[in-house]
Amino acid sequence: MTDPRGEVGNRITGRELREVISRYDVGRMTAAREFIGGDPNSPKALIDCGAGRLLLKRRAAGRDDPHRVSFAQSVMIASAEAGVPVPKLYATMYGGETLLEHEGHVYELFQFIEGTPYRASPREAKDAGGVLAKLHAAIDGLQTDLVPNAGAARRRIDLPKFIQKLEQHGEGVDAHVQASLARMQADWNRAGRELDPLYTPDPDCDELIHGDYHPGNLIFRFGFVAAVLDFDSARPAPPNVEVAPARLHLARVRRGDDPGAWPIAPSHTLLESAWSGYSEHAQEPVEPELVPWLMVESIVEETVLSIGSGAPVGVVNYAARVASWVCEHAGGIVSVLGR
């Protein structure tokens, strides 16, 4: 398979690997193998060398703008300097840049972090919440000329458009979802008055977020976060817009490939643990009353994006049922977080 540049798109070749690694002072390479994980259009190789075990990543076409990659790296480096657990980025021998451009591609070389995926324990959820708060504090007001313009900050998603998308693309939308859409619309209209100020674009916004903080981008070890991964979605935005969906992801664990078997309701224990971890380290508290609606906002955004990328109807239905459940139980969520 070839990419738009006409070269092998899904694997790093042996020649390519040797040429790229030769640009880094990491000692002699003793072993290398393909690493499967993350975006399949962004091939990776696991390398054993004098510097230890490293992960080489070639950026996917369309996600390899050097300016954007450099910004994500600057957020990652600032986080590391503040003690947030992130993989070490290696610099090339030529110019000390942590981004390597070679034959039309962009590469990054990371320390490989050993660990386990999220097991949904209260201790893991609490630590993940605390790490997110520390990350927000670390990158608050980060001074860099690489920050994308304020237009990159997320604007509110239009719920009526979401409903229209469901009707257009979700031929299998079940009766429960259909019955809840009108109620969701009424609840959303009421909550919108409180949410509007959070989504007003601020040209002078100096707050940054990770942009994609969920268990899939975390590595755990002995019940604690060993590494935060994937800073590609970092952008200027109020931390509030990330805190609520992160808690929902930590409290609603999906296993397997069948959306019908995924849980609709988040675990109260995990929700409370993630909230506690963030609150203990946050510079500014988040109002519990806003959390359910920020959760719905994130579900709507993710679902619209999923529809655009061809997500199956089952996934769309599942997201709509979760959004409906959050609307129906907003008071209970606020009660749990307010304890």
Side-chain angles (χ1 to χ4, degrees):
M1 179 177 178
T2 59
D3 70 9
R5 300 181 178 96
E7 300 172 333
V8 176
N10 286 339
R11 303 189 71 179
I12 295 176
T13 67
R15 179 188 66 82
E16 178 185 7
L17 179 60
R18 289 189 296 272
E19 290 181 355
V20 170
I21 292 299
S22 70
R23 268 68 171 178
Y24 295 88
D25 184 16
V26 293
R28 178 172 170 269
M29 183 168 59
T30 58
R33 65 180 184 274
E34 186 177 16
F35 180 83
I36 306 299
D39 182 358
N41 295 311
S42 181
K44 304 168 188 69
L46 197 59
I47 301 159
D48 290 325
C49 59
R53 181 159 289 180
L54 309 181
L55 183 72
L56 178 68
K57 174 181 178 180
R58 185 216 291 160
R59 287 276 180 164
R63 298 180 64 85
D64 56 356
D65 174 57
H67 183 278
R68 190 69 183 81
V69 175
S70 294
F71 167 67
Q73 289 189 352
S74 70
V75 175
M76 185 176 178
I77 291 169
S79 301
E81 290 175 346
V84 177
V86 300
K88 176 183 176 181
L89 265 170
Y90 284 82
T92 67
M93 293 186 290
Y94 311 103
E97 298 292 332
T98 51
L99 176 155
L100 174 65
E101 296 184 67
H102 176 67
E103 295 189 353
H105 291 295
V106 172
Y107 299 86
E108 297 170 287
L109 186 64
F110 302 93
Q111 171 193 16
F112 183 75
I113 304 296
E114 302 280 357
T116 59
Y118 184 55
R119 292 173 176 166
S121 72
R123 183 166 70 174
E124 288 179 331
K126 182 173 182 178
D127 193 58
V131 167
L132 179 59
K134 294 173 185 175
L135 191 159
H136 284 163
I139 61 179
D140 181 25
L142 176 64
Q143 298 299 311
T144 172
D145 57 1
L146 299 171
V147 178
N149 61 41
R154 184 160 70 91
R155 290 174 170 80
R156 290 192 62 204
I157 298 298
D158 186 352
L159 185 63
K161 183 178 291 186
F162 166 69
I163 294 173
Q164 182 184 41
K165 288 282 187 181
L166 284 177
E167 293 171 346
Q168 289 175 348
H169 297 271
E171 295 178 1
V173 171
D174 63 31
H176 174 80
V177 173
Q178 291 287 3
S180 68
L181 290 180
R183 181 175 57 255
M184 188 194 299
Q185 179 71 75
D187 288 340
W188 184 259
N189 289 340
R190 186 180 67 252
R193 293 190 295 273
E194 301 174 14
L195 284 172
D196 274 331
L198 294 175
Y199 294 94
T200 301
D202 181 358
D204 300 315
C205 179
D206 62 355
E207 296 178 298
L208 298 172
I209 62 173
H210 176 275
D212 197 22
Y213 195 89
H214 60 79
N217 281 332
L218 301 175
I219 296 174
F220 291 83
R221 190 183 299 138
F222 306 119
F224 299 96
V225 176
V228 181
L229 309 177
D230 194 358
F231 284 72
D232 291 359
S233 298
R235 63 184 185 270
N240 280 347
V241 305
E242 179 159 69
V243 174
R247 288 175 182 137
L248 183 61
H249 284 303
L250 289 165
R252 182 175 49 89
V253 182
R254 299 179 298 186
R255 304 195 189 283
D257 298 323
D258 178 14
W262 293 345
I264 302 300
S267 159
H268 283 194
T269 300
L270 296 177
L271 191 64
E272 200 168 13
S273 297
W275 173 268
S276 172
Y278 189 89
S279 300
E280 287 180 9
H281 299 279
Q283 291 182 322
E284 296 182 9
V286 177
E287 293 296 328
E289 290 75 14
L290 288 178
V291 170
W293 310 110
L294 289 167
M295 287 178 173
V296 173
E297 178 81 15
S298 70
I299 296 167
V300 171
E301 179 185 44
E302 291 172 7
T303 305
V304 170
L305 292 174
S306 296
I307 291 172
S309 62
V313 169
V315 173
V316 175
N317 287 352
Y318 172 73
R321 291 198 301 273
V322 173
S324 300
W325 188 94
V326 172
C327 286
E328 293 172 23
H329 297 85
I333 293 173
V334 172
S335 177
V336 168
L337 301 183
R339 283 204 290 260

